[in-house]
Each structure stands twice: as C-alpha cells, then as structure tokens.
Amino acid sequence: MDLYEHQARGLFAEYGIVVPNAEVTAAPKEAREIARRLGGRVVVKAQVKTGGRGKAGGVKLAADPAAAELTARQILGMDIKGHTVGNVMLAQPVDIEAEFYVAYVLDRAAGRFLAIASAEGGMDIEEVAASRPEAVARIHIDPDEGVTSAKAAEIADAAGLPPQTVDVLVRLWRVLVGEDAVLVEVNPLVRTARGQILALDGKITLDDNARFRQARWGAEGAAHDHPLEEAAAAKGLNYVKLDGEVGIIGNGAGLVMSTLDVVAGCGARPANFLDIGGGASARVMADGLSVILSDPGVKSVFVNVFGGITACDAVADGIVQALDAVELTKPLVVRLDGNNAVRGRAILDERAHPLVQQATTMDGAARRAARLANTT
C-alpha cells in the first residue's frame, strides 16, 4: 500500500522530521486561498503515486495566489503515467543549499532492511547508482538492533551526509517500524541556507500484511496505484505496474523477481510484476495476458514458469486456451522448465501460434523478449 506524498510528509511530521508547511486541495479556487495562507509564493505538486511528476509538468512554482490557482487548474486532471491527478499539494518554497537521498527498504533476499543514502539527492537515484555507484552507500540493518544513533552516524558517514542528518535517519527508522513500512524514502532531504534539515518529498510503502493495523488510511491509502492494477485486482491477480516494455508472467514471487532482474540485465525494462502463483489455469492465463496487453507500453511478453505442483503441461494448456480467448497482439516468449516441461513445450509447438516463441533457458528467453521489445 503506497501512500501519497502528502500522507508521507504528514507521517514525517508526526515523528519529528521537519517538513515545509503545505496543504492539499482538489479545487483551483481553494488553491488561491491556500497560497495566500502560505505566504503567496508556493510550489504546486500533483499528488499521484508515481515518479517523474516534475518531468511530466506536475510540479510547478507559482509566484502568487492568482498563479497558484491557475497552476492548480492546469495540473488537476492531468494524466501522469496513467495516473489522473485528483489533488494537488501546495507547499512553501525552500532556499536549498544541498540535496541528499535517504531510504530504508526491505531486502527480501537478505532477510534484512537496507539503508540507501547519497549526498547526491534531488535526481533519480538509479541514474546516480548506475553512473557513479561509489556515490551511493548501501548498509544492511539488523532488524533486532535497528537504527541507533551510532548506526545512523555510520550511514551518514558512508554516504557523505552532514552530521545534522543523523537524527533524521533515526526518526525515519522509527517511521518504518512504527507504521509497518517496507519502504521509507526521502528525495530530496535538503539542507537550507540556514542549516536546517528538511524533508521536501517522501515516499512510503506500507506492508499489505499489516493493513489491519493501518486502517486509518482508509480507501485513499489502499487505492491501487494504477487503473491496470485495479483491473488486475478485480480478477484476483497479484499485479504491479512498472514503467517498462516487457510484460512479465511467472509462478512464484521469487521467480518473478529474478525474471525482472534478468530482463533488466538484457537491456530492457520490465513492464510489470505478475505472479500467477500455483494457478496457471486457462482463466488465469487469459486474465493475465489481457491485463498485460492492455498496457500500451508493452512491446513483448515473457512467460517464465517452473513446473512444480502445477505441471508445465497444465500451464501450456492454459496458454493455448488463453490464446483462443485473448487476441495476442504482441510477441510472446515462453520458457517452461520442471515438471512435465517436455510435454508442455510440445503442446505449444502443436498450437503453432505465429506470435509465440519458446526458449529452454531463462536467460535465453529474457534475451529474446528484450530483443523483441527493442525492435517492435
């Protein structure tokens, strides 16, 4: 369950992390009044659960209340990566001296949380990590120990952050633990010209398994991030929308996560996370393909299945029946391995759909799906 920026900032304030004054509205006329209360000059920010708002025109500076109303009118209703802007947040601008990046994220593979921090905030941390990996510190956190002042000082020192950020790092950890979060991120965390440390933006993802303890967020907090996610949820699918071009279907969260990494390593971006679990029936496959093919950004689809309790021939039967129910408009690469894989491959060969290709290894299938996505 992802929170909106204004919700994340509200939590930061509850835990003693300083954020600039801000208010949220869905009405342009009210934006004028809010700007007046905040001192006239404000930053107007689209409230959607996705990144890239600034590049899409969803974050703008307004010089006065009249401009704030006009800017809010322009941003409200915008489509940002499939998200319709229903609210804007107006915040007091800040005189920034330096920008930093800090985050705690659950590292499922390691079974621990990971602190990620950099003295180069305010931009895509992925770009910094790719071009200058030495500029990003990664330190695992012992969940029993947590982030003490000493641990926070270690993180700050490793990332080149100023000593004033140590207290913020401790408080961010308290947010994560106290709110059942699996991700807490601030980008940017800034130092003002007066030396004050402020959280200008925030992203928090709460653990879905803790929804019963997080009822205060209600329907707004539990809302799906993207219309495709809502459509998938209505079909009972475990689907997460990503910003890529290769649609992914797999059985088991671990296999799907590995598939995402392998596809990315082949030079393409995954378009989604879709785990069909143990149920690869025709209905499940048809529903999964229908959702993935509804994404205009998808250029190819990669089905990666390791047969266990659900045998590969049953998966292949599901794919064949799904092809009769859903019009396949993009190339589909299938990798079947494990229980009854040979029979499953034979079933797909017999169907001989012109857009369906097979590969016997995950790496080979990923390379093919990436190549198809990059040439389609």
Side-chain angles (χ1 to χ4, degrees):
M1 174 170 37
D2 290 336
L3 300 185
Y4 289 98
E5 177 194 6
H6 67 272
Q7 294 173 322
R9 286 165 50 113
L11 278 179
F12 292 161
E14 287 182 24
Y15 282 80
I17 299 166
V18 182
V19 297
N21 292 332
E23 295 185 43
V24 179
T25 183
K29 287 187 178 180
E30 188 178 5
R32 179 190 288 256
E33 298 305 315
I34 291 173
R36 185 174 288 114
R37 288 197 293 271
L38 293 177
R41 188 166 174 262
V42 293
V43 180
V44 185
K45 307 179 76 175
Q47 295 300 283
V48 288
K49 299 178 180 181
T50 187
R53 293 175 299 168
K55 294 179 182 178
V59 178
K60 294 182 178 180
L61 182 66
D64 53 49
E69 178 180 346
L70 177 61
T71 302
R73 196 177 300 279
Q74 293 170 341
I75 294 176
L76 287 166
M78 282 182 60
D79 181 277
I80 300 178
K81 296 182 180 179
H83 302 251
T84 301
V85 181
N87 290 281
V88 292
M89 182 181 74
L90 291 87
Q92 289 179 326
V94 174
D95 186 6
I96 300 172
E97 183 179 80
E99 298 182 331
F100 317 112
Y101 175 95
V102 294
Y104 296 118
V105 61
L106 177 60
D107 185 342
R108 297 184 187 276
R112 291 179 291 175
F113 280 92
L114 179 67
I116 304 175
S118 175
E120 299 184 19
M123 62 183 75
D124 292 334
I125 194 65
E126 294 85 357
E127 294 180 8
V128 176
S131 60
R132 300 183 60 248
E134 72 280 1
V136 180
R138 299 173 177 84
I139 298 177
H140 277 103
I141 308 298
D142 183 335
D144 291 328
E145 176 188 357
V147 177
T148 61
S149 294
K151 192 67 175 182
E154 178 189 344
I155 296 168
D157 183 63
L161 305 182
Q164 303 99 301
T165 61
V166 169
D167 180 64
V168 174
L169 289 168
V170 172
R171 292 178 185 275
L172 283 174
W173 177 257
R174 292 174 185 166
V175 173
L176 182 138
V177 174
E179 302 301 323
D180 298 306
V182 293
L183 169 68
V184 173
E185 176 187 83
V186 183
N187 189 28
L189 180 72
V190 305
R191 182 178 60 215
T192 69
R194 296 183 178 182
Q196 189 177 27
I197 300 296
L198 303 177
L200 290 199
D201 199 348
K203 181 177 182 181
I204 295 178
T205 300
L206 306 181
D207 188 346
D208 284 340
N209 295 311
R211 282 181 185 268
F212 68 97
R213 286 202 297 256
Q214 302 297 337
R216 67 164 161 161
W217 299 113
E220 184 186 17
H224 291 283
D225 291 354
H226 195 279
L228 285 177
E229 292 182 354
E230 192 161 347
K235 298 175 184 292
L237 297 173
N238 184 13
Y239 172 94
V240 178
K241 175 74 174 72
L242 303 173
D243 296 325
E245 55 279 340
V246 178
I248 305 292
I249 298 178
N251 63 327
L255 179 61
V256 177
M257 291 297 290
S258 297
T259 305
L260 301 182
D261 290 339
V262 173
V263 167
C266 291
R269 298 175 304 159
N272 65 273
F273 172 107
L274 177 51
D275 174 19
I276 59 174
S281 67
R283 182 71 267 154
V284 170
M285 291 302 304
D287 287 344
L289 285 172
S290 176
V291 170
I292 288 177
L293 293 172
S294 296
D295 182 347
V298 168
K299 305 301 181 184
S300 69
V301 182
F302 178 13
V303 176
N304 189 18
V305 170
F306 186 87
I309 296 174
T310 301
C312 288
D313 56 341
V315 174
D317 281 330
I319 293 173
V320 168
Q321 293 178 53
L323 291 173
D324 294 330
V326 178
E327 181 184 4
L328 186 61
T329 57
K330 307 292 171 59
L332 176 69
V333 180
V334 182
R335 176 256 185 172
L336 299 176
D337 197 7
N339 187 12
N340 282 358
V342 173
R343 175 58 188 153
R345 294 173 195 144
I347 290 171
L348 293 178
D349 285 338
E350 292 168 10
R351 178 63 172 80
H353 192 288
L355 287 178
V356 176
Q357 303 181 25
Q358 293 195 68
T360 56
T361 67
M362 182 164 69
D363 288 347
R367 284 194 295 270
R368 190 171 301 179
R371 185 170 61 252
L372 289 166
N374 291 329
T375 57
T376 301

